[in-house]
Amino acid sequence: MDASPSKRKRSSDVSSLVLESDNTSGTLFEPHTDHKPGLFEPRKDRKHELRTAIAAATSELDAQRARRDALEQQSGLTVERARQLSDENIDRLHRYNDTKDAAQILFGKLAELKGKTVKDIYAEYDIDLDD
């Protein structure tokens, strides 16, 4: 490999940065003391902060699981059964809406044939407009 002296120099510069680093936290740079640490300036206590955040999230997850289990026991339904019932209700609502749409079309055609408004047809058949 015929690397030019300037390329070898740059390579050794980077190596010296890594070798000269006496930071034991695994990072190359320490935060400046004259201002707050920035985005690219790792803090020494970052590992502790992350472990604390993970512990808090794990605790919250455990609390949510306990709450879910208590609700399952109280209701007598499992999450799977509740999802199944919800899916069944959604299917029923779809069928209802499809049927209602078909009825709206029929009332519109009937009104057109009779030369009346849909409102008049609803009144004729004693159907509430909100139905």
Side-chain angles (χ1 to χ4, degrees):
M1 296 167 70
D2 289 334
S4 68
S6 63
K7 285 185 181 176
R8 278 184 266 147
K9 175 78 170 118
R10 278 187 235 141
S11 173
S12 64
D13 288 345
V14 173
S15 297
S16 66
L17 282 175
V18 174
L19 294 174
E20 291 172 11
S21 172
D22 62 350
N23 186 353
T24 58
S25 66
T27 61
L28 294 177
F29 305 102
E30 290 289 326
H32 297 288
T33 57
D34 57 340
H35 68 279
K36 292 182 180 179
L39 181 62
F40 297 107
E41 298 169 354
R43 299 186 323 229
K44 288 182 179 181
D45 60 344
R46 184 69 178 147
K47 190 183 286 187
H48 174 70
E49 287 178 15
L50 290 172
R51 285 186 176 145
T52 302
I54 289 170
T58 301
S59 176
E60 176 65 23
L61 179 61
D62 290 342
Q64 290 291 330
R65 284 180 178 154
R67 184 169 182 254
R68 180 202 61 202
D69 293 345
L71 288 172
E72 278 183 4
Q73 195 171 30
Q74 179 184 358
S75 69
L77 290 176
T78 63
V79 172
E80 292 79 20
R81 180 65 181 140
R83 284 188 181 131
Q84 181 185 10
L85 289 173
S86 176
D87 290 344
E88 289 171 4
N89 285 332
I90 289 170
D91 289 341
R92 287 186 196 113
L93 285 172
H94 283 295
R95 284 195 311 255
Y96 168 80
N97 286 329
D98 290 344
T99 304
K100 185 176 179 183
D101 291 344
Q104 292 286 341
I105 292 169
L106 290 175
F107 280 117
K109 294 291 183 185
L110 184 60
E112 186 180 329
L113 288 173
K114 289 187 171 188
K116 296 181 177 183
T117 64
V118 174
K119 183 178 178 179
D120 293 337
I121 297 296
Y122 270 50
E124 185 179 324
Y125 287 92
D126 198 29
I127 297 173
D128 187 11
L129 284 174
D130 294 330
D131 283 347

